[in-house]
Amino acid sequence: MALAAAALVAASLAPARGEERDLAALREVFRRPEQTATVVAPEEEARARLGRHLFFERLLSGTGRMACSTCHDPARLFQDDRPRAVGVFYRALARRTPSLFDLANVRPLMRDGRAADLEAQVLMPILDPDEMGQTAKRLLAQLGQVSFYREAFAQIFPERGLTLDTLAQALASYVRTLESPRTAFDAWVEGDEAALEPEAQRGLALFAGKAGCVACHFGWRLSDDRFHDIGLPTNDLGRGRFDPDPSSRFAFRTPSLRWVGKRPPYMHDGSLADLRAVIEHYDRGGIARPSRSPLVRPLGLTPEEKALLLAFLESLSRPPPAEREVVRK
Ligand code: HEC
Ligand code: HEC
């Protein structure tokens, strides 16, 4: 349904003069649903608290030096600012660390979708020899020696105690609680006209019109959570590594654009240094190859249009005006 709405709006704004049209209809395309997190049951709250301890726990790595938070740094929107992640023994990994905000209802996970859900995902970095380099046996033995964990797992998972499964459930429950703060754009979506300055509003019209971004970036997280090849020069087959569909070659999951301006560099490999470079990439349309999405093509944006698009992306990356005042005091 959201897809149909996005397509409809994109079509209605398609002519370049669309800028002047009423943008109000777009609010529905980006509105946040009331229930976005899944932490509701009290038992899940206790799991999430335990998961929070585990997220910062260095025993999760083979060297005892690395925690989830080493790469997913809470002070940096749960990512690490590096083009590609660095694993145990300083091993360079193939992909960039993504932010962990707003994943409660996202499935499948990972940039190529290889993790069915959060419970499956959270064990992957721990057991990957290049990432955290821990083994299941050593992990359970080491955590089992810490009385805090023995007691917490016994209390929260009475029948089962500490196992790989319960560990994964606790970590997944914690990740589900991570929600990104509100933005200026959210305030505009909720009806505060002044929250989005005129340039950003015109940038939004381009985002949904001539530039065609809304075809993949829609909903409150500005993502369709699907996989596309956007024509980047890369040797990484992405979803094509295990999905035989030809359009899966070089395809990655559309990232959320919430707070996007605060977490360069961009793309699965961190290959684009800033938002200007991203806009230039889309304007050129990337590499024309059979797998490239038909929605990505040369756009012919003028310098002014690029600046407007940038103003819109920046409105996704700062707090609403009212909350900015509070911070300044
Ligand atoms: C060495 C750095 C590093 C560490 C340590 C690390 N991660 Fe990650 N994380 C990554 C990278 C890189 C990816 C993207 C991998 C991919 O998509 O192929 C990722 C992906 C994820 C995702 C999927 C996000 C999405 O949008 O699909 C989740 C969830 C996640 N990590 C949680 C964790 C948890 C929980 C831990 C600790 C158990 C952890 N990570 C440890 C680097 C790290
Ligand atoms: C065909 C679907 C599609 C269209 C159309 C599209 N995007 Fe994307 N976008 C993606 C995918 C997929 C990625 C991730 C690619 C990767 O990681 O290699 C992405 C990544 C991005 C990123 C980087 C986010 C990050 O966290 O690294 C930004 C910014 C972005 N797009 C903005 C735009 C803008 C602006 C437009 C319009 C000019 C646009 N997108 C059009 C699918 C699309």
Side-chain angles (χ1 to χ4, degrees):
M1 201 215 88
L3 235 185
L8 210 137
V9 171
S12 74
L13 289 166
R17 299 281 160 264
E19 280 183 21
E20 315 249 294
R21 303 191 50 154
D22 185 9
L23 288 176
L26 279 174
R27 290 195 159 103
E28 296 319 311
V29 174
F30 298 105
R31 199 179 290 279
R32 187 177 189 139
E34 268 169 33
Q35 189 76 45
T36 49
T38 58
V39 178
V40 274
E43 67 183 34
E44 174 115 54
E45 267 173 42
R47 285 180 193 179
R49 273 201 302 279
L50 174 56
R52 187 175 184 284
H53 279 278
L54 293 165
F55 193 82
F56 294 92
E57 176 54 73
R58 290 170 192 274
L59 291 177
L60 262 50
S61 65
T63 54
R65 292 187 173 184
M66 196 174 219
C68 308
S69 57
T70 309
C71 298
H72 300 286
D73 179 356
R76 295 184 164 90
L77 307 177
F78 291 90
Q79 51 90 50
D80 61 5
D81 299 337
R82 297 171 188 265
R84 296 174 193 203
V86 176
V88 278
F89 305 118
Y90 303 101
R91 289 199 177 122
L93 302 183
R95 295 179 185 158
R96 164 145 173 60
T97 306
S99 165
L100 297 186
F101 277 132
D102 311 319
L103 293 176
N105 298 307
V106 177
R107 267 175 227 92
L109 290 147
M110 294 295 208
R111 294 181 181 275
D112 54 14
R114 69 187 184 281
D117 55 24
L118 273 173
E119 275 75 3
Q121 194 287 329
V122 294
L123 295 177
M124 290 180 176
I126 302 174
L127 303 177
D128 183 325
D130 292 328
E131 207 165 332
M132 298 179 86
Q134 184 55 294
T135 66
K137 202 174 154 198
R138 200 171 45 198
L139 173 63
L140 295 178
Q142 289 180 342
L143 286 182
Q145 279 168 14
V146 182
S147 58
F148 166 78
Y149 286 120
R150 271 203 315 277
E151 285 159 23
F153 274 95
Q155 197 189 351
I156 295 168
F157 301 99
E159 310 283 285
R160 293 177 290 166
L162 169 60
T163 68
L164 271 193
D165 273 358
T166 53
L167 180 95
Q169 281 178 21
L171 272 169
S173 293
Y174 172 61
V175 176
R176 271 195 283 276
T177 63
L178 304 178
E179 283 204 13
S180 61
R182 276 162 46 81
T183 65
F185 181 59
D186 291 332
W188 178 83
V189 166
E190 287 156 22
D192 177 357
E193 202 58 41
L196 217 54
E197 57 285 358
E199 294 75 35
Q201 295 203 13
R202 293 176 66 200
L204 168 58
L206 286 163
F207 188 88
K210 180 176 175 185
C213 317
V214 79
C216 303
H217 295 283
F218 60 83
W220 73 282
R221 296 170 48 253
L222 298 105
S223 169
D224 61 356
D225 291 320
R226 287 165 177 259
F227 301 87
H228 310 273
D229 170 11
I230 60 165
L232 291 165
T234 178
N235 295 323
D236 189 335
L237 281 178
R239 195 155 179 74
R241 281 203 304 167
F242 52 87
D243 182 349
D245 189 316
S247 70
S248 291
R249 288 169 65 85
F250 311 112
F252 294 89
R253 202 179 83 234
T254 309
S256 162
L257 298 185
R258 295 184 63 78
W259 294 93
V260 69
K262 296 276 186 273
R263 43 182 175 77
Y266 300 104
M267 306 304 173
H268 67 276
D269 54 2
S271 57
L272 298 180
D274 54 29
L275 288 176
R276 279 172 213 279
V278 172
I279 292 170
E280 289 300 331
H281 164 78
Y282 281 112
D283 186 48
R284 286 192 305 271
I287 297 171
R289 56 192 170 209
S291 53
R292 188 184 63 176
S293 165
L295 299 165
V296 177
R297 62 198 188 282
L299 297 172
L301 299 174
T302 66
E304 194 207 358
E305 287 172 332
K306 290 175 190 171
L308 296 174
L309 213 42
L310 184 64
F312 170 64
L313 293 177
E314 280 167 356
S315 75
L316 304 172
S317 316
R318 58 169 174 260
E323 287 168 36
R324 283 203 288 277
E325 308 271 302
V326 174
V327 173
R328 232 178 275 138
K329 266 180 213 158

